[in-house]
Amino acid sequence: MSAGQETTSTVTAHRVVVLGAGYTGMAAAVQLAARVGRHEGVQVTVVNARERFTERMRLHMTATGRRLAELSIPKMLEGTHARFVRGRVTAVDADARTVRTDDDRVLHYDTLVYGLGGVADTSAVPGAEDHAYTLSSAQDAELLADRLGRLGSGTVVVAGNGLTGIESAAEIAERHSELNAVLPGRAEPGAALNPKTKAYVRAALDRLGVRARAGAELARVLPGTVEPAGGESIAADAVLWTSGTRVSPLAAAAGLAVDDRGRIVTDAALRSVSHPDVYTVGDAAAIRQGYGVMHGTCQGGMPAGVHAALSITRVLKGKQPKPFRFGYYHTPVSLGRDDAVVRFTRPDDSPRRICLTGRTAVRYKETVTASPWPAYGRMKKMPASGAFWPRGGRFTRVRQAR
C-alpha cells in the first residue's frame, strides 16, 4: 500500500489533501471534513509549514510588537476527523498525484486542494530581497517588530501605498511615534477608494505624521536608503515591502496550467483546467468572474474554500459541481488602533458612496477580522452555515463565447 493510503474495511479511502492552512485552506478543510470526513471512504489531510495559524489580517499589528493570540491549526481542526501534517511543500507531481514535503514525506492524493497562497514580491526591484522586511508570515513580521523596537529614532519606509501599506504605515506611526514613517507609491494613498474615503485616509495619515509621497515608484533598495525612479533618495533605517505579491512556482513546475502571474487557471467549479482533480483557492488561483479575475482577499478566499469543498462533495456523490460566483461588498482599512475606514463596494469592487469612519469603522473592522473563528466553529456543527456569501448577480455572470 502506498504511503498516505488508508483503507476502510476492504475499500480504499478517497484521499483529499489540502495544501496550505490559511483562511482559505482552512475553510476548505473544515467544510469538507464536516461534510464527508466522518463518513467511511474519505480521508482529509491538511498540510502546512507550521502548526501556528497566521492571522494575515493582523500582521501589520505583529510588525509593531503587538501580542496576538496563539492559534493552533491542529486544535482548530479538532472535531472534524481531518488530520494535520506539518511540513513545507517542496514539490507537487500532478500526474503521479503526489506531494512531497521538506522532510521527504510523500503524500498521495486522489483530490488535491491547492491553497498555498502568495508572498510579498521582492523580486521586481533590485535590493528588496536583501534589504527589505515583509509581512509574508508571522515570523517575517516579528523580525520587523524586533528591528523597530531597537531603533531609538530614524526613518521607516513602507514601500507601496496600497491598503496593506496604508495599514502598516499608520500602525508603525502610532506605535512608534519616535520614528518617521514614509509611504511612497505611484499614486495617492487609497487611489482606488471613493473621494470621501480617500480624503479621510489622507487626513488620518497626516494626523499620525506619515509622510505620503505620490509619484515615487521605487527603483532600488540599498542598505540605509531607497531610490525612487528619477527622484531623490530616501534615507531608510528599515524598509517594509508591501508592493505586490507573487505565488509559489510549485504549480507551474507541477505542469498545472497557470496564467502570466503563475496562478493556477480554474474552471467555474474551481478545478484546474489542465488537471480536474486539483482544486485551487486563494491567492494561487486565477478565478474568473464576470468582472474579471478575482484578487486575493479573505472576503473572497473563504467562500472559494467552502465552494471547493462543496464541489468535491458533489463529485464524490456522482454529481456535477456548480459554478462559483462571488461579489465583493466592502473594503475595511485600519488606521491605527482607534481609527479606521470601511468602503462599501459593488460586486465588481467598484466603490459605492456609503462608508464608515472612526470608532464605528474600528468595531466593524474588528468584527470582520475576528469572524473566521466563529465561522469555522459553526461549519463544524452546521456545514451548511458556511455556504452563504454574496453571489454578485449580473456582475459575476461569465458570458460564454459564441
Side-chain angles (χ1 to χ4, degrees):
M1 183 168 59
S2 300
Q5 281 188 329
E6 289 185 7
T7 59
T8 302
S9 300
T10 59
V11 180
T12 302
H14 186 97
R15 299 155 299 184
V16 181
V17 176
V18 181
L19 302 185
Y23 296 107
T24 306
M26 282 296 296
V30 170
Q31 178 70 207
L32 182 61
R35 286 181 177 268
V36 302
R38 299 176 190 275
H39 298 284
E40 294 184 353
V42 180
Q43 176 194 84
V44 180
T45 302
V46 181
V47 183
N48 199 67
R50 296 182 179 273
E51 291 188 8
R52 175 184 173 184
F53 183 87
T54 299
E55 291 190 87
R56 294 185 71 90
M57 290 190 287
R58 298 189 196 268
L59 286 181
H60 59 287
M61 298 166 59
T62 303
T64 62
R66 298 185 187 274
R67 299 287 299 177
L68 302 180
E70 293 281 340
L71 301 170
S72 164
I73 294 170
K75 287 185 177 180
M76 292 166 66
L77 291 172
E78 285 181 356
T80 65
H81 292 264
R83 66 169 182 156
F84 175 73
V85 171
R86 178 175 176 175
R88 182 175 61 84
V89 179
T90 57
V92 176
D93 189 327
D95 295 323
R97 296 183 179 179
T98 60
V99 173
R100 185 178 294 275
T101 61
D102 54 357
D103 58 357
D104 286 331
R105 184 195 303 257
V106 177
L107 299 172
H108 294 253
Y109 68 84
D110 299 296
T111 300
L112 185 71
V113 180
Y114 189 105
L116 292 179
V119 297
D121 187 5
T122 53
S123 64
V125 173
E129 186 78 41
D130 297 323
H131 306 301
Y133 294 87
T134 70
L135 299 181
S136 296
S137 68
Q139 293 69 38
D140 292 338
E142 287 164 358
L143 287 174
L144 176 58
D146 179 69
R147 173 62 174 165
L148 297 181
R150 290 186 287 106
L151 285 176
S153 60
T155 299
V156 180
V157 173
V158 179
N161 61 7
L163 302 184
T164 301
I166 290 170
E167 290 193 324
S168 301
E171 201 79 27
I172 291 169
E174 180 179 85
R175 183 76 164 176
H176 294 282
S177 57
E178 74 281 6
L179 300 177
N180 298 315
V182 181
L183 183 62
R186 296 187 185 94
E188 290 287 332
L193 304 174
N194 63 33
K196 179 180 178 181
T197 311
K198 183 166 63 174
Y200 189 92
V201 167
R202 186 56 190 263
L205 293 176
D206 289 344
R207 171 176 53 79
L208 290 167
V210 176
R211 289 194 293 132
R213 290 187 53 172
E217 182 176 357
L218 298 188
R220 187 162 57 163
V221 180
L222 300 170
T225 186
V226 296
E227 295 183 353
E232 185 178 348
S233 297
I234 305 171
D237 297 283
V239 178
L240 170 59
W241 198 265
T242 69
S243 181
T245 60
R246 68 173 186 262
V247 299
S248 169
L250 287 175
L256 297 166
V258 299
D259 68 1
D260 58 358
R261 293 177 54 185
R263 299 175 299 183
I264 299 172
V265 181
T266 75
D267 66 8
L270 305 184
R271 298 171 296 194
S272 162
V273 295
S274 61
H275 294 75
D277 54 325
V278 177
Y279 292 74
T280 312
V281 293
D283 292 345
I287 303 171
R288 179 162 294 280
Q289 299 286 279
Y291 49 75
V293 176
M294 289 178 60
H295 58 77
T297 65
C298 182
Q299 66 172 309
M302 288 184 64
V306 170
H307 189 86
L310 297 176
S311 294
I312 293 168
T313 303
R314 289 183 65 85
V315 170
L316 291 174
K317 293 179 178 179
K319 300 178 181 179
Q320 285 296 314
K322 296 180 179 180
F324 175 68
R325 292 173 61 184
F326 172 80
Y328 299 100
Y329 51 96
H330 68 193
T331 304
V333 185
S334 294
L335 299 168
R337 292 297 83 217
D338 299 316
D339 199 2
V341 65
V342 179
R343 177 196 74 164
F344 291 97
T345 72
R346 298 179 181 86
D348 63 352
D349 207 30
S350 60
R352 297 185 186 273
R353 291 183 179 181
I354 186 172
C355 66
L356 301 177
T357 59
R359 295 298 300 174
T360 302
V362 170
R363 289 191 291 270
Y364 185 102
K365 174 75 186 313
E366 179 55 30
T367 300
V368 170
T369 303
S371 65
W373 330 129
Y376 297 146
R378 286 192 300 271
M379 281 193 284
K380 291 180 186 179
K381 299 176 181 178
M382 299 179 294
S385 67
F388 296 94
W389 60 81
R391 263 60 178 187
R394 61 184 175 84
F395 289 90
T396 58
R397 294 193 187 99
V398 177
R399 296 181 179 179
Q400 300 297 324
R402 294 182 178 179

